Amino acid sequence: MLDSWLMSWRPQYRSSKFRNVYGKVANREHCFDGIPITKNVHDNHFCAVNARFLAIVTESAGGGSFLVIPLEQTGRIEPNYPKVCGHQGNVLDIKWNPFIDNIIASCSEDTSVRIWEIPEGGLKRNMTEALLELHGHSRRVGLVEWHPTTNNILFSAGYDYKVLIWNLDVGEPVKMIDCHTDVILCMSFNTDGSLLTTTCKDKKLRVIEPRSGRVLQEANCKNHRVNRVVFLGNMKRLLTTGVSRWNTRQIALWDQEDLSMPMIEEEIDGLSGLLFPFYDADTHMLYLAGKGDGNIRYYEISTEKPYLSYLMEFRSPAPQKGLGVMPKHGLDVSACEVFRFYKLVTLKGLIEPISMIVPRRSDSYQEDIYPMTPGTEPALTPDEWLGGINRDPVLMSLKEGYKKSSKMVFKAPIKEKKSVVVNGIDLLENVPPRTENELLRMFFRQQDEIRRLKEELAQKDIRIRQLQLELKNLRNSPKNC
């Protein structure tokens, strides 16, 4: 009897190929040093990375800017290194186009979203002219996300509580999702981009059909105040991070088709910083990184109970402000690297790559940890997706030729200044400012406009006087007598 009790009490160890995954920090010479990382307290990563470039939002006086550094250019970055600095307010989010390596989207407190084209080899001088300026939000824009399978479809979420869907082929917003009653905190897509999930300051978790804006599922998270959400690939599950009623950090797993109750809730710790979730659909691994601490915990997710199995924790004394994540095709498969973070260490002005590695003795390609993965080719055009077609990502193998860059190029549409009407509402109509900062920004914008108009008027007065004199001279010339 005692034996059977002892056996049942013993912890059950699952055999997993990822049980011994460990985090390896890059040597100092492979880090990026001397970077004035933004001091903005907005809860974003302020960092975006792809197989060619690293982009970091920087501290800047007057307007907003970010650095774009070629990945091979590690080490100390010069203080006068050129920046992308066209925004009039702080940059709040940046994201690389998943299909075109040198195209990046940024959004800002100046209410605009901008698309930038980074030249081959990086910037040689400050870039102030965007390829495309997108105006449609009436307040600052906090988030941008590219559609995962469709080329040139971009989502932006503003402090006007709206999500706009931009078709960059025409440079206009084509849909508006208007179901939120407060600031949107996070957006995440399922694998084929047919569903969007959001967390919001109104304490609600929503699953939305993006083209119609219809809310399919909604959870009122009073006991688990949601901050971040991520779709768990094709598992039909969502994972949220948030705060429990006792102010401890917590994660919850949800069935995307029934948000009435979480499937499981798990307390993490009593720290106060936000928990950023990252999910790798290829390995079914979930990483939880705390803002303001140096820990990254990782778990394996399965469709069977207990659903969530703790693997290990990467610890570091240096607190992280945010983390960029390398796309799968940018990893070093020869080192059995399955995930790579780029950690922002604000106090040191340092960006530190952290590789998550599966320890293997063999040097040959490990097929079991690198299944076919979403690649750099889009599955749909904007018109196809907007017309109602859904398609899974175009997969690629990481075995051979995975460093191939996409042959796609971005062609900016020629735009005329005009009103922006979506769902019958003109998005650029004057909206009254809601905060002192907005009021000041509007005041300075109007002062600039008045100054410009006065200068224009003065120029026109001078021109009128010149024309009057010319006319007088013509009338008084001997030929006319």
Side-chain angles (χ1 to χ4, degrees):
M1 181 77 179
L2 185 63
D3 285 350
S4 64
W5 179 82
L6 280 169
M7 284 184 76
S8 66
W9 176 84
R10 277 184 195 136
Q12 299 293 306
Y13 288 109
R14 294 169 66 254
S15 67
S16 164
K17 61 184 98 156
F18 303 111
R19 204 174 64 214
N20 298 315
V21 167
Y22 66 95
K24 183 183 177 186
V25 181
N27 298 333
R28 191 65 187 237
E29 63 266 24
H30 293 124
C31 295
F32 300 83
D33 203 354
I35 292 169
I37 300 166
T38 179
K39 293 183 175 69
N40 196 310
V41 293
H42 195 72
D43 280 332
N44 268 354
H45 293 294
F46 300 113
C47 175
V49 65
N50 66 16
R52 285 172 65 193
F53 297 108
L54 170 69
I56 310 106
V57 178
T58 57
E59 194 61 21
S60 63
S65 63
F66 59 95
L67 283 171
V68 176
I69 307 164
L71 279 188
E72 62 278 3
Q73 202 175 320
T74 53
R76 190 150 194 86
I77 303 300
E78 294 301 314
N80 57 352
Y81 194 88
K83 293 184 174 80
V84 178
C85 50
H87 280 288
Q88 275 93 50
N90 288 327
V91 175
L92 298 181
D93 198 13
I94 47 176
K95 294 275 163 58
W96 289 106
N97 184 320
F99 309 116
I100 310 173
D101 274 348
N102 64 334
I103 298 291
I104 190 167
S106 63
C107 63
S108 161
E109 288 184 348
D110 66 9
T111 75
S112 75
V113 175
R114 298 182 191 212
I115 309 298
W116 309 86
E117 184 174 27
I118 307 303
E120 202 68 39
L123 299 179
K124 300 289 179 276
R125 61 185 68 83
N126 281 355
M127 182 179 271
T128 54
E129 286 297 309
L131 206 56
L132 208 51
E133 274 185 43
L134 307 172
H135 295 279
H137 287 284
S138 58
R139 299 184 69 194
R140 58 184 167 155
V141 189
L143 296 168
V144 282
E145 288 289 345
W146 294 91
H147 192 274
T149 61
T150 310
N151 189 35
N152 283 350
I153 290 283
L154 183 74
F155 285 59
S156 62
Y159 276 61
D160 50 9
Y161 314 156
K162 293 175 175 62
V163 176
L164 292 182
I165 305 175
W166 303 86
N167 178 357
L168 303 187
D169 279 359
V170 294
E172 298 290 345
V174 284
K175 303 276 178 186
M176 178 170 68
I177 299 169
D178 193 11
C179 59
H180 300 88
T181 59
D182 210 323
V183 175
I184 299 141
L185 302 172
C186 182
M187 298 190 284
S188 175
F189 291 98
N190 65 344
T191 309
D192 67 1
S194 59
L195 294 175
L196 172 74
T197 179
T198 62
T199 56
C200 181
K201 260 195 179 163
D202 63 12
K203 300 188 178 71
K204 286 185 178 170
L205 170 67
R206 295 173 173 88
V207 174
I208 300 162
E209 202 293 308
R211 282 166 293 219
S212 64
R214 200 157 52 90
V215 178
L216 306 177
Q217 287 288 325
E218 188 174 274
N220 213 335
C221 308
K222 285 189 172 141
N223 299 335
H224 166 77
R225 288 201 310 280
V226 287
N227 284 323
R228 290 289 179 276
V229 61
V230 64
F231 258 108
L232 301 179
N234 279 332
M235 284 188 181
K236 300 208 166 177
R237 304 266 194 274
L238 305 172
L239 185 121
T240 56
T241 66
V243 182
S244 73
R245 59 170 83 174
W246 297 283
N247 276 349
T248 55
R249 297 200 290 194
Q250 196 181 43
I251 56 174
L253 188 69
W254 307 78
D255 178 346
Q256 76 178 38
E257 287 166 358
D258 179 13
L259 299 185
S260 54
M261 281 286 287
M263 294 164 71
I264 52 167
E265 280 181 343
E266 196 168 302
E267 308 270 320
I268 300 299
D269 57 30
L271 298 177
S272 59
L274 186 77
L275 273 178
F276 291 119
F278 302 91
Y279 180 65
D280 179 3
D282 295 347
T283 59
H284 304 298
M285 279 176 72
L286 169 79
Y287 300 87
L288 294 178
K291 184 179 176 180
D293 61 67
N295 305 338
I296 301 172
R297 296 169 175 85
Y298 36 106
Y299 301 77
E300 199 167 5
I301 302 231
S302 61
T303 48
E304 310 291 313
K305 280 187 175 179
Y307 305 123
L308 204 63
S309 307
Y310 174 75
L311 292 169
M312 231 190 288
E313 183 172 1
F314 166 82
R315 286 176 175 244
S316 157
Q320 56 229 3
K321 183 184 180 75
L323 293 149
V325 171
M326 175 62 77
K328 226 35 190 218
H329 61 273
L331 299 180
D332 182 359
V333 295
S334 64
C336 295
E337 184 184 35
V338 288
F339 214 74
R340 192 192 304 161
F341 293 103
Y342 284 76
K343 171 177 168 173
L344 275 63
V345 186
T346 316
L347 298 172
K348 298 179 183 173
L350 185 71
I351 312 293
E352 202 174 57
I354 302 166
S355 296
M356 309 310 290
I357 290 169
V358 179
R360 293 272 168 102
R361 285 203 177 92
S362 169
D363 288 339
S364 61
Y365 179 71
Q366 307 290 308
E367 207 110 18
D368 61 324
I369 59 173
Y370 297 115
M372 296 284 280
T373 191
T376 55
E377 298 297 320
L380 293 164
T381 65
D383 290 342
E384 285 173 329
W385 184 75
L386 291 164
I389 299 170
N390 295 318
R391 211 171 277 153
D392 283 331
V394 178
L395 301 180
M396 70 192 291
S397 165
L398 299 188
K399 190 170 185 177
E400 288 159 48
Y402 70 92
K403 294 275 185 204
K404 275 192 317 208
S405 59
S406 170
K407 294 180 182 64
M408 301 194 67
V409 288
F410 183 85
K411 289 193 182 76
I414 295 154
K415 288 178 68 181
E416 293 170 23
K417 290 265 184 205
K418 59 178 192 299
S419 63
V420 177
V421 180
V422 180
N423 299 8
I425 301 163
D426 187 349
L427 299 176
L428 297 182
E429 272 183 342
N430 285 331
V431 175
R434 303 188 200 188
T435 64
E436 200 176 324
N437 274 352
E438 279 187 29
L439 190 65
L440 279 169
R441 235 183 351 263
M442 196 172 270
F443 170 75
F444 289 128
R445 213 181 287 150
Q446 285 175 345
Q447 290 298 305
D448 283 347
E449 184 70 3
I450 289 165
R451 201 176 299 116
R452 190 182 63 75
L453 289 168
K454 277 182 175 173
E455 280 171 12
E456 219 173 278
L457 208 59
Q459 293 292 329
K460 283 182 177 167
D461 278 349
I462 292 164
R463 184 76 185 123
I464 286 166
R465 260 185 247 120
Q466 281 175 340
L467 289 168
Q468 282 174 336
L469 279 168
E470 280 175 28
L471 195 64
K472 202 172 181 182
N473 289 342
L474 276 170
R475 281 184 184 146
N476 296 338
S477 68
K479 282 178 192 171
N480 293 339
C481 293

